[in-house]
Amino acid sequence: MRIMMIQPNYHAGGAEIAGNWPPSWVAYIGGALRTAGFNNLRFVDAMTEDLPNEQLRLILRHNRPDVVMATAITPMIYKAQETLQIAREEVPNARLILGGIHPTFMYGQVLTEAPWIDYIVRGEGEEIIVELMQSIEAGTDRRDRANIKGIAYLEDGKVVATPARDPIADLDKLTPDWSLYDWKRYIYVPLNVRVAVPNFARGCPFTCRFCSQWKFWRRYRARSPQKFVDEIETLVREHNVGFFILADEEPTINRKKFTALCEELVRRKLPVHWGINTRVTDILRDEAQLPLWRAAGLVHISLGTEAAAQMNLDRFRKQTTIEQNKRAIELIKKHGMVAEAQFIMGMENETPETIEETYRYVLDWKPDMANWNMYTPWPFAELFEELGDRVEVRDYAKYNFVTPIMKPELMDREDVLKGVLRNYARFYMRKAFLEYPFIKDPFKRRYMLGCLRAFMKTTVTRRFYDLGRVHMRGAQLEIDLGFDESRVLTPEQIAAMKQRKEMNADTTFGGAAPGIDPEEIKIQAENPLNLPLEVAVNENANATTPAKPAS
């Protein structure tokens, strides 16, 4: 059976400025299929290769796959639907499968708008896809599908979702196949080396209101540090990878395992550097461990500082403070690593003053890098429901972190974008002329100048922050946000959509909503700087002795 995996050709001008990233789902899903005996696999990265539709048609026509698989985060959903529509036209008898976070929760809307899709895989896909593929190969999937957990499909024009499959209990059973990529295409620009995005842990014990990753993975789990480093060694030795970013939402929450991971990397002396996203409170908790992190090759830490105002931090349920943000950045820099601060912009209470406030904070905090990300109201996040019909823009292609979706009460969207671009220009001009060239650490200086080159290159080509939509008319800056006007809804249209069950998010996995994991509570209870989930908060409030730091 011929199986083709396709990464849809979607671009937005965000993370791509640092290079081309190999999509992780291909290695993990492809590896699961190979382990199950499905060896005729081909991966087409239409995104990295920037394949036009006609070329994709030719590839499909030539290969005649029996199954075509694609993935979609929210901004990629329309391109994913279009990709599979092309597949339906070119290989009419193929089974078409879509996975990813957006179709997991929005399967009703996706199947309604794209009825040519045969199956949607909901949630963690490695075990689901093997069972589904075995049924397809046997020619019994139409008969079996009601009993295959974790999928959605159309039957007689109606959307059907089967009960959820349990999350994978033991992540050490994952068998990623990193040979599926054309590795020369995946270069991390700051260091000019090959880059990978492996997965050490899945899930997050925190419940930030603007995020849904914790709902998607449903439980926090981490892999064996030794087995994970085996995977890193494969990437380094066999595929010449020189840099990796952990795909994890929260890689450091389990301090024992993360420390063991760093110790194993130090022991093996692999010639590789890496980066992570993590929480401010983990940096404060693990101050004594930071020299080990750097010795293990960790050089870039992106922090979810998120907001300059404590009011917004509390609203996002970040469980951090302004003072903690500043201290974490100081500690990262002190130990020779790159500290990157993240800000969420474009909420309904945004003003010119709050945008300027974020710039004052970066001057005070002194991070090595800063990102101003536009608030993206994921249609399956708690904050989306609170905002209600204020989320008038339902053009998901623009839910890309670089386009203002919300209309602030006191500003136009275009003015939010102008303010953010001004912050970027001021911040990186200052870094370029006053800081980066004078960094004493030779490696960090080279790294930061490489980041600056990536930033400048994509600014010149107008890819950064989708600058192609920004034009000068005389002395005036004009911006065309490019919304599909048919997807900018009135309050009446939003109300009508809410009445259609299939058009709304289903975050319960058929009743198997994310629960409270006792192991997560244990980890959190041992960590006085990381506040636990609500249940753990209540338990700790009744404790008679203070929590002790994890060993």
Side-chain angles (χ1 to χ4, degrees):
M1 187 165 65
R2 298 181 299 275
I3 301 171
M4 180 175 289
M5 297 178 284
I6 302 176
Q7 181 73 3
N9 186 15
Y10 176 82
H11 302 272
E16 288 180 271
I17 68 171
N20 295 320
W21 306 87
S24 297
W25 71 277
V26 173
Y28 291 98
I29 296 295
L33 289 170
R34 279 245 165 97
T35 300
F38 296 95
N39 294 311
N40 195 343
L41 302 174
R42 179 177 178 185
F43 170 49
V44 177
D45 193 342
M47 181 178 178
T48 294
E49 298 183 40
D50 197 19
L51 294 180
N53 286 347
E54 286 309 309
Q55 190 169 348
L56 184 60
R57 286 184 184 278
L58 291 175
I59 292 171
L60 286 160
R61 201 176 301 165
H62 175 74
N63 285 270
R64 310 298 300 175
D66 300 296
V67 177
V68 179
M69 302 164 55
T71 189
I73 56 175
T74 295
M76 193 183 286
I77 187 61
Y78 303 137
K79 287 300 296 185
Q81 292 174 183
E82 181 183 32
T83 295
L84 292 179
Q85 184 175 26
I86 291 170
R88 174 62 69 222
E89 293 166 359
E90 296 301 328
V91 280
N93 296 322
R95 291 289 191 265
L96 308 183
I97 303 172
L98 182 63
I101 188 168
H102 187 92
T104 287
F105 296 130
M106 302 297 293
Y107 61 89
Q109 182 175 18
V110 172
L111 290 171
T112 300
E113 295 182 349
W116 51 84
I117 296 172
D118 290 300
Y119 298 109
I120 285 175
V121 172
R122 301 188 65 209
E124 203 166 17
E126 286 87 351
E127 294 179 345
I128 300 170
I129 196 64
V130 169
E131 184 178 359
L132 178 58
M133 208 67 71
Q134 288 169 340
S135 184
I136 292 172
E137 185 179 45
T140 60
D141 57 298
R142 302 294 191 199
R143 185 189 69 199
D144 301 340
R145 59 188 182 180
N147 296 316
I148 299 175
K149 290 185 176 181
I151 64 172
Y153 53 88
L154 287 175
E155 186 165 34
D156 298 327
K158 295 183 178 180
V159 176
V160 176
T162 66
R165 192 182 188 99
D166 290 339
I168 298 171
D170 182 5
L171 293 185
D172 289 330
K173 292 181 179 179
L174 296 176
T175 55
D177 183 354
W178 296 103
S179 70
L180 288 164
Y181 303 96
D182 182 1
W183 280 102
K184 66 179 180 294
R185 297 184 179 276
Y186 302 106
I187 302 298
Y188 187 62
V189 173
L191 293 176
N192 193 32
V193 295
R194 293 182 181 181
V195 62
V197 191
N199 205 180
F200 173 59
R202 290 182 175 179
C204 180
F206 294 93
T207 58
C208 297
R209 300 178 70 233
F210 59 85
C211 180
S212 291
Q213 290 294 324
W214 58 277
K215 294 181 181 180
F216 181 85
W217 297 111
R218 297 162 57 203
R219 289 185 61 246
Y220 177 82
R221 293 143 292 152
R223 298 169 63 184
S224 156
Q226 290 73 25
K227 290 185 178 180
F228 178 74
V229 177
D230 288 343
E231 188 174 321
I232 298 302
E233 186 157 11
T234 296
L235 287 165
V236 173
R237 306 297 188 198
E238 297 183 13
H239 304 294
N240 297 316
V241 167
F243 191 86
F244 66 89
I245 291 278
L246 288 182
D248 314 6
E249 284 75 41
E250 180 56 271
T252 59
I253 184 64
N254 189 322
R255 179 164 68 173
K256 183 177 180 180
K257 282 198 171 184
F258 191 77
T259 298
L261 163 63
C262 292
E263 290 172 343
E264 188 67 15
L265 284 168
V266 170
R267 187 183 69 80
R268 299 199 200 184
K269 299 179 181 179
L270 296 175
V272 66
H273 294 97
W274 49 297
I276 61 172
N277 297 285
T278 196
R279 290 179 59 85
V280 163
T281 46
D282 282 12
I283 301 299
L284 303 180
R285 177 198 71 189
D286 290 342
E287 177 179 356
Q289 301 294 320
L290 297 183
L292 171 64
W293 293 13
R294 180 63 186 88
L298 178 56
V299 296
H300 191 145
I301 300 178
S302 180
L303 293 173
T305 48
E306 313 300 11
Q310 187 63 47
M311 176 185 67
N312 277 344
L313 283 173
D314 295 340
R315 185 180 184 191
F316 292 158
R317 204 188 286 137
K318 282 300 297 180
Q319 302 178 9
T320 58
T321 67
I322 299 297
E323 293 75 17
Q324 288 174 330
N325 291 344
K326 181 177 181 179
R327 177 60 177 158
I329 288 169
E330 290 174 350
L331 290 174
I332 292 169
K333 294 177 63 178
K334 175 183 175 181
H335 292 91
M337 294 174 282
V338 173
E340 179 179 357
Q342 302 277 354
F343 294 97
I344 294 178
M345 312 300 297
M347 293 291 291
E348 82 282 2
N349 58 350
E350 199 74 81
T351 65
E353 290 75 25
T354 59
I355 295 174
E356 182 65 23
E357 183 183 28
T358 64
Y359 185 69
R360 291 198 301 270
Y361 269 111
V362 296
L363 292 183
D364 180 43
W365 296 352
K366 298 181 176 61
D368 297 298
M369 300 179 70
N371 273 324
W372 285 267
N373 299 309
M374 294 297 177
Y375 170 63
T376 301
W378 306 124
F380 29 83
E382 183 180 334
L383 201 52
F384 181 90
E385 290 300 319
E386 177 189 305
L387 292 167
D389 58 11
R390 293 188 180 191
V391 190
E392 58 183 352
V393 176
R394 303 298 174 94
D395 181 358
Y396 295 139
K398 301 299 182 181
Y399 281 42
N400 51 21
F401 298 111
V402 301
T403 302
I405 301 299
M406 301 298 300
K407 167 66 174 70
E409 295 169 354
L410 301 177
M411 296 183 71
D412 291 330
R413 292 182 180 89
E414 291 79 3
D415 290 329
V416 175
L417 183 56
K418 290 176 184 177
V420 165
L421 291 176
R422 180 169 179 262
N423 279 358
Y424 270 112
R426 289 186 291 172
F427 180 81
Y428 284 102
M429 286 289 285
R430 184 184 184 93
K431 293 292 184 181
F433 290 104
L434 300 178
E435 295 187 30
Y436 290 168
F438 307 106
I439 295 174
K440 294 181 180 180
D441 180 336
F443 174 83
K444 187 172 181 179
R445 181 173 63 249
R446 177 166 68 94
Y447 186 91
M448 298 315 306
L449 290 174
C451 291
L452 184 63
R453 283 194 299 273
F455 176 81
M456 294 176 64
K457 178 181 178 181
T458 54
T459 300
V460 170
T461 59
R462 302 181 68 77
R463 289 176 58 201
F464 171 73
Y465 232 81
D466 196 11
L467 284 174
R469 62 190 169 178
V470 179
H471 306 279
M472 292 298 299
R473 187 178 295 275
Q476 296 296 318
L477 194 67
E478 292 190 352
I479 295 174
D480 178 11
L481 296 177
F483 294 132
D484 178 347
E485 291 300 323
S486 70
R487 298 182 184 274
V488 180
L489 307 184
T490 65
E492 293 74 22
Q493 289 173 314
I494 293 172
M497 179 180 287
K498 287 182 177 179
Q499 298 303 311
R500 298 177 59 189
K501 181 179 178 181
E502 74 278 7
M503 302 299 282
N504 295 289
D506 175 8
T507 59
T508 69
F509 282 90
I516 302 300
D517 183 351
E519 181 62 21
E520 292 169 9
I521 294 175
K522 178 178 181 293
I523 293 169
Q524 292 281 49
E526 293 174 345
N527 177 359
L529 286 169
N530 276 339
L531 295 179
L533 296 169
E534 283 81 351
V535 169
V537 169
N538 294 334
E539 291 186 357
N540 286 346
N542 297 325
T544 57
T545 57
K548 296 179 180 180
S551 58

